[in-house]
């Protein structure tokens, strides 16, 4: 899930049985037959689409965790396996949580996952992340040791950034990596971002459309680039490997924040002379 705008705090605090860290019980027994059927439909759709499009580590994670088409997973069962692999666990939350809470969870290897699933009317479009996005999209890669370390480091970076006015820069890093990242593999370009992996249409668009730019990941470039929350991305940033992502971000961000504060942001679709462009988009979709 994404860091939340702090305006959602009141909504969440009003929900029943929410603990101080915004977690709730998943309430797995409470899912209806329709909830499980929606999971199955979404799962089947992506399971057909993703082989050959998603990074192999994602499919390995799905298999290792036995995340499958049979229905919404019980977080307790996932946590036994995930804990053995990387020490991460999933905690249920009723929706978006405040930034500080989100960072605190990640810094302690806890991934906050929404405990409600979308309705049939929302199969293709959601304004807020639901359980399918959070669990199918995010959790499989938490079984990968390098990606798992990256997510924890991101949370720690978030805690350090608090109060420095830098959250927009961190949000862009999360957006262009964890949510909408692409990765190079020996077999070609693959998706790994949860926002793409959990979306039928963007799984195809991100890799196959001639419209978006695909640019080699550069930390400062990513942190200076605004993003679209309401549509497909105009630019995707490509990492060489999860180690490349981890190593590129294993540094003190404070001097970067200072430099970014002193100059203008980039629009989502812009290309710079300094970019290492893997494919130059023709912009046809957003035009
Ligand atoms: Fe997400």
């Amino acid at each position: 899930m994404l860091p939340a705008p702090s305006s959602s705090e009141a909504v969440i605090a009003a929900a029943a049985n929410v603990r101080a860290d915004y977690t709730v019980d998943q309430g797995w027994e409470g899912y209806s037959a329709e909830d499980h059927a929606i999971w199955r439909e979404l799962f089947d759709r992506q399971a057909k689409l993703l082989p050959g499009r998603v990074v192999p580590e994602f499919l390995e994670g799905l298999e290792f965790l036995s995340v499958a088409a049979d229905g919404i997973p019980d977080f307790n069962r996932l946590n036994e396996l995930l804990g053995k692999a990387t020490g991460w666990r999933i905690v249920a939350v009723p929706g978006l949580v405040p930034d500080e809470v989100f960072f605190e969870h990640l810094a302690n290897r806890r991934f906050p996952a929404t405990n409600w699933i979308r309705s049939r009317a929302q199969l293709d479009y959601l304004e807020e992340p639901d359980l399918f996005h959070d669990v199918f999209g995010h959790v499989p890669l938490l079984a990968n040791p390098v990606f798992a370390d990256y997510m924890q480091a991101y949370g720690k970076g978030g805690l350090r950034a608090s109060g420095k006015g830098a959250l927009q820069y961190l949000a862009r890093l999360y957006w262009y990596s964890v949510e909408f990242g692409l990765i190079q593999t020996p077999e070609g370009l693959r998706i790994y971002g949860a926002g793409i992996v959990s979306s039928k249409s963007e799984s195809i668009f991100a890799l196959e459309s001639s419209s978006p730019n695909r640019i080699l990941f550069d930390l400062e470039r990513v942190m200076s680039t605004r993003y679209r929350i309401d549509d497909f991305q105009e630019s995707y940033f490509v990492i060489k490997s999860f180690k490349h992502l981890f190593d590129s971000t294993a540094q003190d961000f404070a001097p970067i924040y200072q430099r970014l504060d002193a100059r203008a942001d980039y629009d989502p679709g812009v290309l710079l002379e300094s970019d290492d462009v893997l494919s130059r988009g023709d912009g046809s979709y957003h035009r």
Side-chain angles (χ1 to χ4, degrees):
M1 59 183 293
L2 292 168
S6 48
S7 60
S8 64
E9 258 177 82
V11 177
I12 292 169
N17 303 317
V18 181
R19 300 180 195 100
D21 64 356
Y22 286 76
T23 63
V24 293
D25 289 332
Q26 184 192 5
W28 187 81
E29 303 77 15
Y31 294 120
S32 66
E34 172 71 354
D35 291 335
H36 287 293
I38 288 168
W39 170 278
R40 276 196 296 277
E41 188 164 334
L42 291 165
F43 186 98
D44 283 340
R45 217 162 71 162
Q46 291 310 96
K48 281 191 199 107
L49 208 55
L50 289 178
R53 289 194 172 94
V54 75
V55 69
E57 287 88 339
F58 177 90
L59 296 175
E60 287 161 17
L62 265 191
E63 193 179 331
F64 170 78
L65 296 169
S66 309
V67 173
D70 48 3
I72 296 172
D74 183 337
F75 293 177
N76 290 326
R77 186 187 61 74
L78 290 183
N79 283 340
E80 279 179 32
L81 295 162
L82 193 56
K84 277 180 204 150
T86 57
W88 272 78
R89 67 191 180 92
I90 307 165
V91 290
V93 291
L96 294 169
V97 301
D99 293 323
E100 296 259 332
V101 175
F102 183 71
F103 295 141
E104 182 73 33
H105 280 305
L106 295 188
N108 290 285
R109 294 192 166 237
R110 295 187 301 263
F111 187 76
T114 310
N115 70 340
W116 55 269
I117 193 159
R118 68 193 76 181
S119 70
R120 200 162 284 280
Q122 298 168 306
L123 276 195
D124 291 303
Y125 181 75
L126 270 185
E127 287 182 2
E128 270 192 43
D130 74 334
L131 181 148
F132 185 76
H133 168 83
D134 281 339
V135 175
F136 182 89
H138 284 285
V139 172
L141 282 181
L142 291 175
N144 176 270
V146 182
F147 192 81
D149 286 348
Y150 171 70
M151 289 291 281
Q152 181 178 29
Y154 181 86
K156 288 182 176 174
L159 292 176
R160 281 194 299 272
S162 292
K164 293 200 177 116
L167 290 184
Q168 56 176 331
Y169 305 135
L170 269 184
R172 290 170 186 162
L173 171 59
Y174 194 88
W175 190 265
Y176 283 120
S177 62
V178 178
E179 294 292 350
F180 292 96
L182 300 179
I183 184 167
Q184 291 175 322
T185 76
E187 290 74 41
L189 210 55
R190 295 290 185 268
I191 59 187
Y192 74 91
I196 311 177
V197 160
S198 60
S199 160
K200 180 185 176 190
S201 50
E202 196 148 3
S203 294
I204 299 169
F205 179 88
L207 285 181
E208 290 157 45
S209 171
S210 61
S211 188
N213 303 310
R214 299 178 186 88
I215 306 164
L216 194 68
F217 180 93
D218 176 87
L219 179 62
E220 270 190 62
R221 166 67 155 105
V222 164
M223 283 188 166
S224 349
T225 308
R226 287 189 291 268
Y227 53 82
R228 304 187 69 112
I229 56 167
D230 58 339
D231 206 341
F232 297 143
Q233 301 307 302
E234 291 182 62
S235 297
Y236 294 92
F237 289 91
V238 182
I239 57 172
K240 295 176 185 168
S241 63
F242 291 133
K243 184 159 189 316
H244 170 221
L245 177 63
F246 183 87
D247 291 347
S248 314
T249 51
Q251 56 177 297
D252 181 8
F253 291 171
I256 301 179
Y257 297 151
Q258 279 179 358
R259 286 198 290 277
L260 297 183
D261 279 342
R263 62 163 207 249
D265 296 330
Y266 301 125
D267 286 330
V270 78
L271 280 178
L272 309 177
E273 262 182 40
S274 51
D275 284 338
D276 193 339
V277 181
L278 303 176
S279 64
R280 178 178 295 264
D282 61 20
S284 52
Y285 173 82
H286 293 95
R287 201 162 49 226

